[in-house]
Amino acid sequence: MLNPIAVTAAVAPARTVRRGPASPAQRAVRSTARCSSCAMRHLCMPQGVSANEMPQLEALICSARPVRRGEALYRAGDSFDSLYAVRSGSLKTVMAHRDGREQVTGLRIAGEALGLDGISSDQHACSAVALEDSSVCIIPYAALKHLCREIGSMQERLHKLMGEQIVREAAQMMVLGSLSADERVAAFLLDISERNAQRGYSSAEFNLRMTREDMGSYLGMTLETVSRTLSRFQKRGLIDAQGRLIHIVDPEGLRQVGASSNA
């Protein structure tokens, strides 16, 4: 579980993940989902967990579930009973307007948390939809609260996750409320770059998980404006965009996009 800002166009209506008997493939995923062997454990695990506490923690969050591309892990209005950590792949969070239009509110990639929106009312406020074939670790919330009382570092980790979500949402309000189109797209690309670097991946070259349409929804822009802005960045030599593959050619120049706009 961790920080803040994807692959398919608008997919067919998302389906809530079934909770029936596990298939052999699902059982295989669950049997291999162990914190101690997960490449994302440096992002998810609380600091200071002792060797004696590790079995308790693994017993709580060792189960995992595959989520196919276009499938909903949960929908707005579903009863809240678990938190989730993205083990692989990526999911977007979506809220629906009263007129039925959908607003992309976030992107969660490996090592990041999902489901915190359900804590306040015991119902999920948004939907979480897989952007590619993904898997998530399941953390039953009732059991997590009990473990937090026994392991102080777990309680601290949960509090930090909640604080990070507040900060992330405040930052997104600033993006939507005060930044130009160029600034929004530059901030989005740099955010993905930094998050990739945290995971040991290339910060300069990556596949966009969001489509241009999803990017527009997330950044409060039209599809056409997103496409024009990326083309403008390419002409200026800031990036090289080949479909969804983005190569940041001039990261410092991309950072200065916002600085020059605010000058």
Side-chain angles (χ1 to χ4, degrees):
M1 308 174 189
L2 232 191
N3 299 6
I5 305 195
V7 163
T8 49
V11 288
R15 302 178 299 278
T16 302
V17 175
R18 295 173 182 164
R19 297 177 181 266
S23 67
Q26 289 173 320
R27 288 195 294 271
V29 171
R30 288 177 178 146
S31 66
T32 57
R34 292 291 183 270
C35 300
S36 55
S37 60
C38 180
M40 295 297 112
R41 63 184 180 276
H42 67 291
L43 298 174
C44 297
M45 298 287 286
Q47 299 300 310
V49 175
S50 70
N52 293 332
E53 293 168 336
M54 181 61 74
Q56 292 177 269
L57 190 56
E58 285 203 322
L60 175 68
I61 61 178
C62 68
S63 61
R65 174 184 297 160
V67 191
R68 295 186 299 274
R69 189 180 84 173
E71 201 169 29
L73 175 63
Y74 54 80
R75 288 181 178 277
D78 283 355
S79 296
F80 166 74
D81 54 22
S82 297
L83 296 177
Y84 305 90
V86 182
R87 188 174 180 87
S88 64
S90 58
L91 296 92
K92 65 179 177 180
T93 54
V94 178
M95 296 188 77
H97 295 279
R98 290 183 179 179
D99 61 6
R101 288 179 298 124
E102 291 190 336
Q103 174 78 42
V104 177
T105 59
L107 166 67
R108 300 292 181 267
I109 61 177
E112 297 181 351
L114 278 163
L116 290 164
D117 60 289
I119 293 177
S120 64
S121 64
D122 295 323
Q123 286 187 326
H124 287 289
C126 63
S127 302
V129 181
L131 292 161
E132 57 191 309
D133 288 346
S134 306
S135 67
V136 297
C137 294
I138 307 165
I139 306 102
Y141 188 59
L144 175 63
K145 288 193 295 183
H146 178 76
L147 188 62
C148 284
R149 289 193 289 268
E150 296 185 357
I151 302 178
S153 59
M154 197 70 211
Q155 178 81 67
E156 182 180 356
R157 187 72 189 97
L158 182 59
H159 288 164
K160 285 188 176 181
L161 283 171
M162 293 177 176
E164 286 164 3
Q165 180 147 319
I166 292 170
V167 170
R168 183 185 303 125
E169 290 177 355
Q172 182 63 7
M173 288 177 64
M174 184 189 74
V175 166
L176 296 177
S178 62
L179 300 188
S180 67
D182 281 11
E183 290 174 298
R184 294 182 195 188
V185 174
F188 177 80
L189 296 177
L190 290 170
D191 179 73
I192 293 178
S193 172
E194 290 165 7
R195 290 159 81 183
N196 279 346
Q198 287 180 332
R199 288 152 181 78
Y201 305 144
S202 172
S203 61
E205 190 168 291
F206 47 82
N207 279 305
L208 284 175
R209 291 173 168 88
M210 285 186 178
T211 62
R212 304 290 196 266
E213 186 175 9
D214 278 342
M215 281 178 61
S217 177
Y218 182 67
L219 298 174
M221 302 162 57
T222 64
L223 167 64
E224 292 76 15
T225 302
V226 170
S227 297
R228 284 198 301 268
T229 304
L230 290 172
S231 296
R232 189 159 55 248
F233 284 179
Q234 181 150 342
K235 289 177 182 177
R236 292 171 58 181
L238 300 176
I239 66 170
D240 179 31
Q242 303 295 330
R244 290 189 182 131
L245 180 63
I246 299 292
H247 177 210
I248 297 180
V249 179
D250 183 2
E252 187 56 37
L254 206 56
R255 292 187 189 96
Q256 289 176 359
V257 167
S260 62
S261 302
N262 292 327

